[in-house]
């Protein structure tokens, strides 16, 4: 009898392990790394790993804001163009003679205007987040091209461009900052009252109202937060490329959304965490880097990214169906 109970207990424990989203994602990540390591001996080298983390920094920062918003039942399609706009503006301010540190503070201080614009269209005029943020994305993209006449703006300030290449503890600064922010925002999301409020408004707005929460105020904070993180991503992107480029982050918002959904964030809201998002981000970046190492055409890489997003959405659908049973 005891042996039978022990067997059932072991099976239940095994089932729980394989049902764990983080464990399954880590298995997928391990398979991706193993496959590309077999096909190219330099893939799993220290240099390439640091390159993957550096390449993930822009999308990773955008994914933090997207994760919060999607959990809250919203989305931000303007984040990539917001990053590009403020990256270009940073280059313009520095080239005008403004100290680079002050230029960074200026763009980050102004960036909440984009967040307030998104929140205003959604909360005041009642537009769907998808449409509202898509419209703001077009505005940001247009302004970004206008202020630089559609041309990249080189930066000769050596101290500033060092931000994009200097390393701390063997990891590039943009990647290290991304990892730190994942920890900080992950803690806020999982361990604070505000984090629980984000889950509540995404899971059930009626219950959130009854609990005394203000969904519009919380979503406004999230849109502002997303815009400010995007501005930071834009600054780092400009430092990495030594120039402000208006089209530099095009499509990154979809990679960020893919990372969040692949990482277990429910597209319908109310579920998910930044740990899963981070693993999802690594899967995307390791997959993309592997295709590059194998000299796969950039056009086929675009197809692969699209299929990966479709797979993430299907995975989210299947997960929700299982939870509904």
């Amino acid at each position: 009898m005891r042996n039978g109970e022990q067997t059932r207990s072991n099976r239940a424990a095994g089932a729980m392990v394989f049902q764990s989203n983080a464990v399954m994602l880590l298995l997928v990540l391990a398979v991706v790394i193993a496959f590309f390591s077999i096909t190219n001996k330099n893939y799993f080298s220290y240099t390439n790993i640091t390159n993957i983390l550096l390449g993930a920094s822009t999308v990773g920062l955008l994914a933090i804001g997207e994760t919060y918003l999607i959990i809250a039942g919203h989305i931000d399609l303007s984040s990539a163009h917001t990053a590009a706009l403020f990256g270009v503006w940073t280059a313009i301010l520095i080239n005008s003679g403004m100290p680079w540190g002050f230029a960074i503070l200026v763009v980050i201080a102004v960036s909440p205007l984009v967040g307030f614009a998104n929140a205003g269209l959604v909360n005041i005029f009642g537009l769907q987040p998808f449409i509202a943020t898509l419209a703001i994305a077009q505005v940001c993209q247009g302004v970004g091209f206008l202020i630089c006449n559609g041309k990249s703006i080189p930066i000769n300030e050596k101290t500033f461009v060092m931000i994009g290449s200097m390393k701390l503890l063997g990891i590039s600064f943009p990647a290290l900052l991304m990892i730190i922010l994942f920890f900080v925002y992950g803690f806020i999301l999982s361990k604070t009252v505000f984090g629980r409020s984000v889950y509540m408004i995404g899971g059930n707005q009626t219950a959130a109202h009854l609990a005394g929460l203000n969904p519009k105020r919380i979503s406004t904070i999230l849109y502002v937060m997303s815009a400010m993180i995007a501005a930071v991503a834009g600054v780092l992107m400009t430092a990495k490329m030594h120039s402000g480029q208006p089209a530099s982050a095009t499509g990154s918002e979809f990679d960020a959304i893919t990372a969040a959904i692949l990482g277990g964030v429910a597209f319908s809201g109310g579920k998910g965490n930044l740990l899963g998002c981070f693993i999802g981000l690594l899967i995307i970046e390791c997959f993309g880097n592997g295709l590059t190492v194998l000299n796969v055409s950039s056009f086929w890489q675009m197809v692969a990214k699209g299929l990966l997003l479709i797979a993430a959405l299907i995975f989210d659908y299947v997960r929700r169906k299982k939870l509904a049973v």
Side-chain angles (χ1 to χ4, degrees):
M1 188 68 177
R2 288 181 179 178
N3 289 336
E5 291 178 355
Q6 184 64 38
T7 300
R8 286 193 295 272
S9 177
N10 290 338
R11 287 177 178 174
M16 287 179 66
V17 168
F18 283 100
Q19 288 172 1
S20 170
N21 190 62
V23 172
M24 293 303 295
L25 287 171
L26 286 172
L27 287 174
V28 172
L29 178 60
V31 170
V32 171
I33 293 174
F35 173 78
F36 287 114
S37 296
I38 292 170
T39 55
N40 190 299
K41 63 180 182 180
N42 296 320
Y43 178 79
F44 201 56
S45 65
Y46 176 78
T47 300
N48 196 48
I49 292 172
T50 55
N51 287 336
I52 289 173
L53 289 174
L54 178 60
S57 58
T58 298
V59 174
L61 289 172
L62 299 182
I64 293 173
E66 294 291 357
T67 297
Y68 269 77
L69 282 164
I70 295 173
I71 289 175
H74 291 259
I75 198 169
D76 184 4
L77 297 183
S78 69
S79 58
H81 292 303
T82 300
L85 169 60
F86 286 111
V88 169
W89 196 23
T90 301
I92 291 174
L93 292 177
I94 292 174
N95 286 347
S96 71
M98 182 179 291
W100 64 268
F102 189 62
I104 293 174
L105 291 177
V106 169
V107 298
I108 293 176
V110 174
S111 63
L113 293 176
V114 176
F116 282 121
N118 281 323
L121 291 177
V122 173
N123 293 327
I124 297 176
F125 296 99
L127 299 182
Q128 289 295 318
F130 184 92
I131 299 300
T133 59
L134 182 61
I136 295 299
Q138 294 295 307
V139 173
C140 288
Q141 183 181 37
V143 173
F145 276 94
L146 283 171
I147 62 178
C148 66
N149 293 319
K151 301 176 181 179
S152 62
I153 303 177
I155 300 175
N156 296 319
E157 173 57 60
K158 294 182 179 180
T159 307
F160 173 74
V161 298
M162 278 181 59
I163 296 175
S165 58
M166 69 177 183
K167 293 186 177 182
L168 299 172
L169 304 175
I171 303 174
S172 64
F173 176 74
L176 187 61
L177 179 61
M178 174 197 68
I179 293 170
I180 291 172
L181 290 181
F182 259 99
F183 272 110
V184 171
Y185 281 100
F187 176 83
I188 294 172
L189 186 61
S190 62
K191 301 296 183 180
T192 68
V193 174
F194 179 76
R196 289 191 290 273
S197 300
V198 173
Y199 284 103
M200 286 189 69
I201 68 170
N204 191 323
Q205 285 211 9
T206 302
H209 273 296
L210 294 175
L213 299 178
N214 186 334
K216 290 184 177 181
R217 182 177 66 84
I218 294 172
S219 64
T220 298
I221 293 172
L222 297 182
Y223 277 118
V224 168
M225 183 187 80
S226 178
M228 294 183 73
I229 294 176
V232 172
V235 170
L236 294 176
M237 188 166 50
T238 299
K240 285 192 294 182
M241 297 186 297
H242 299 190
S243 64
Q245 300 183 18
S248 55
T250 301
S252 295
E253 70 276 23
F254 295 109
D255 289 343
I257 292 169
T258 302
I261 302 301
L262 189 62
V265 178
F267 201 68
S268 55
K271 296 184 182 299
N273 57 66
L274 278 174
L275 173 60
C277 176
F278 184 71
I279 301 174
L281 172 69
L282 292 180
I283 291 173
I284 293 172
E285 292 300 325
C286 288
F287 183 71
N289 179 269
L291 294 179
T292 301
V293 168
L294 293 178
N295 294 317
V296 175
S297 165
S298 60
F299 302 126
W300 279 110
Q301 290 188 38
M302 292 171 65
V303 173
K305 284 185 177 182
L307 292 175
L308 198 58
L309 177 56
I310 292 172
L313 291 171
I314 293 174
F315 180 62
D316 175 58
Y317 172 78
V318 172
R319 184 172 55 240
R320 285 187 288 111
K321 291 285 287 185
K322 286 184 176 180
L323 290 172
V325 174

Coordinates of all heavy atoms in Angstrom, one line a residue, residues 1-15:
M1 N 0.8 -1.2 0.0 CA 0.0 0.0 0.0 C 0.9 1.3 0.0 O 0.6 2.2 -0.7 CB -0.9 0.0 1.2 CG -2.0 1.1 1.2 SD -3.2 0.9 0.0 CE -4.3 2.3 0.3
R2 N 1.9 1.2 0.9 CA 2.8 2.4 0.9 C 3.5 2.6 -0.4 O 3.8 3.7 -0.8 CB 3.8 2.2 2.1 CG 3.1 2.3 3.5 CD 4.1 2.1 4.6 NE 3.5 2.2 5.9 CZ 4.2 2.1 7.0 NH1 5.5 1.8 7.0 NH2 3.6 2.2 8.2
N3 N 3.9 1.4 -1.0 CA 4.6 1.5 -2.2 C 3.8 2.2 -3.3 O 4.2 3.0 -4.1 CB 5.1 0.2 -2.7 CG 6.2 -0.4 -1.8 OD1 7.0 0.4 -1.2 ND2 6.4 -1.7 -1.8
G4 N 2.5 1.8 -3.3 CA 1.5 2.4 -4.3 C 1.3 3.8 -4.1 O 1.3 4.6 -5.0
E5 N 1.2 4.3 -2.8 CA 1.1 5.7 -2.5 C 2.3 6.5 -2.9 O 2.3 7.6 -3.4 CB 0.8 5.9 -1.0 CG -0.6 5.4 -0.6 CD -0.8 5.5 0.9 OE1 0.1 5.9 1.6 OE2 -1.9 5.3 1.3
Q6 N 3.5 5.8 -2.7 CA 4.8 6.5 -3.0 C 4.9 6.7 -4.5 O 5.3 7.7 -5.0 CB 5.9 5.6 -2.5 CG 7.3 6.3 -2.7 CD 7.4 7.6 -1.9 OE1 7.0 7.7 -0.8 NE2 8.1 8.6 -2.5
T7 N 4.4 5.6 -5.2 CA 4.5 5.7 -6.7 C 3.6 6.8 -7.2 O 4.0 7.6 -8.1 CB 4.1 4.4 -7.3 OG1 4.9 3.3 -6.9 CG2 4.1 4.4 -8.9
R8 N 2.4 6.9 -6.7 CA 1.5 8.0 -7.1 C 2.0 9.3 -6.8 O 1.9 10.3 -7.5 CB 0.1 7.8 -6.5 CG -0.7 6.6 -7.1 CD -2.2 6.7 -6.6 NE -2.3 6.4 -5.2 CZ -2.4 5.2 -4.7 NH1 -2.4 4.1 -5.4 NH2 -2.5 5.1 -3.4
S9 N 2.7 9.4 -5.6 CA 3.2 10.7 -5.2 C 4.4 11.1 -6.1 O 4.5 12.3 -6.5 CB 3.8 10.6 -3.8 OG 4.4 11.7 -3.3
N10 N 5.2 10.1 -6.5 CA 6.3 10.4 -7.4 C 5.8 10.9 -8.8 O 6.3 11.8 -9.4 CB 7.2 9.2 -7.6 CG 8.0 8.9 -6.3 OD1 8.2 9.8 -5.5 ND2 8.4 7.6 -6.2
R11 N 4.7 10.2 -9.2 CA 4.1 10.6 -10.5 C 3.6 12.0 -10.5 O 3.7 12.7 -11.4 CB 3.1 9.6 -10.9 CG 3.6 8.2 -11.4 CD 2.4 7.2 -11.6 NE 2.9 5.9 -12.1 CZ 2.1 4.9 -12.3 NH1 0.8 5.0 -12.1 NH2 2.7 3.8 -12.7
A12 N 2.9 12.3 -9.4 CA 2.3 13.6 -9.2 C 3.4 14.7 -9.2 O 3.3 15.7 -9.8 CB 1.5 13.7 -7.9
A13 N 4.5 14.4 -8.5 CA 5.6 15.3 -8.5 C 6.2 15.5 -9.8 O 6.6 16.6 -10.2 CB 6.7 14.8 -7.5
G14 N 6.4 14.4 -10.6 CA 6.9 14.5 -11.9 C 6.0 15.3 -12.8 O 6.5 16.1 -13.6
A15 N 4.7 15.1 -12.7 CA 3.7 15.9 -13.5 C 3.8 17.3 -13.2 O 3.8 18.2 -14.1 CB 2.3 15.4 -13.2

